[in-house]
């Protein structure tokens, strides 16, 4: 537990500089039913950062209403292009996939290997806040799922996402157990 807590604290501290970068980010969302792509910057980009889970741990499959749902119907996919001004005269960009009409609320998929401004985003699905959906509707996203002629965004899959997440969680569990055993051994030796 101690090791897992320390790792979480380290990740939180490491992410702090990236939060400020969102003030200079531009987020473009495009997909079915939009008259024109939605552009978010300034306060809109900060809203994306706050409610999209970009710096949060992701799931290997959609997390719907608190449960993993590998076969969940996600509805149409919207491309999300995020472009950062890293502050050192460099600009970096990456892409995500938004499923705004997924059962249980919006889902956002981040592919593996996303790096920006010295940070690495975890890959997988994140159940975004319904507040994000309301904000996007106010920017032009259709209120209800548009007809896509039978096309569905489906679920992007990557064979490495699930195994990577399982390995990470397993590794943290092993580290926590080792730290506990070491502490217990030191306590017994001191007594």
């Amino acid at each position: 537990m101690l090791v897992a807590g320390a790792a979480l604290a380290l990740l939180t501290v490491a992410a702090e500089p990236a939060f400020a970068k969102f003030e200079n980010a531009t987020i473009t969302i495009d997909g079915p039913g939009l008259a024109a792509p939605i552009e978010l910057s300034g306060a809109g980009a900060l809203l994306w950062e706050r409610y999209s889970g970009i710096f949060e741990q992701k799931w290997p499959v959609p997390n719907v209403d608190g449960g993993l749902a590998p076969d969940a119907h996600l509805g149409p996919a919207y491309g999300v292009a995020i472009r950062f001004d890293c502050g050192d005269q460099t600009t970096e960009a990456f892409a995500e996939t938004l499923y705004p009409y997924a059962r249980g609320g919006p889902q956002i998929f981040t592919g593996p290997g996303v790096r920006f401004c010295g940070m690495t985003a975890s890959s997988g699905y994140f159940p975004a806040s319904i507040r994000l959906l309301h904000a996007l509707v106010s920017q032009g996203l259709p209120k209800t799922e548009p007809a896509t002629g039978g096309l569905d965004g489906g679920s992007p899959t990557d064979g490495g996402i699930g195994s990577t997440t399982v390995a990470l969680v397993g590794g943290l569990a092993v580290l926590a157990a080792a730290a506990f055993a070491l502490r217990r051994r030191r306590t017994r030796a001191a007594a």
Side-chain angles (χ1 to χ4, degrees):
M1 295 291 279
L2 182 63
V3 172
L8 180 60
L10 179 62
L11 289 174
T12 302
V13 170
E16 285 299 321
F19 291 147
K21 290 176 178 45
F22 261 87
E23 294 174 348
N24 298 323
T26 302
I27 298 157
T28 305
I29 302 168
D30 199 7
L34 292 177
I38 295 172
E39 294 273 337
L40 303 174
S41 60
L46 289 171
L47 183 88
W48 181 269
E49 175 269 317
R50 182 173 183 188
Y51 293 121
S52 72
I54 194 163
F55 295 113
E56 303 295 329
Q57 183 60 41
K58 312 293 189 305
W59 301 96
V61 297
N63 183 333
V64 178
D65 296 328
L68 297 183
D71 298 323
H73 170 74
L74 299 180
Y78 289 72
V80 179
I82 300 175
R83 188 174 157 92
F84 282 96
D85 176 356
C86 294
D88 56 359
Q89 297 183 344
T90 62
T91 301
E92 295 184 17
F94 67 94
E96 293 183 307
T97 305
L98 168 66
Y99 300 92
Y101 308 106
R103 181 177 58 86
Q107 294 282 326
I108 298 175
F109 177 77
T110 305
V114 170
R115 294 190 52 78
F116 57 98
C117 303
M119 304 281 302
T120 301
S122 66
S123 61
Y125 290 88
F126 186 80
S129 170
I130 197 71
R131 291 179 180 177
L132 182 62
L133 178 60
H134 295 310
L136 293 175
V137 166
S138 75
Q139 295 293 315
L141 185 74
K143 200 172 207 175
T144 58
E145 182 176 332
T148 58
L151 297 177
D152 182 1
S155 303
T157 57
D158 179 325
I161 292 174
S163 59
T164 300
T165 302
V166 169
L168 178 62
V169 170
L172 286 175
V174 168
L175 286 174
F180 177 75
L182 182 61
R183 180 181 171 134
R184 191 169 186 190
R185 181 181 291 168
R186 286 184 182 166
T187 302
R188 285 186 180 171

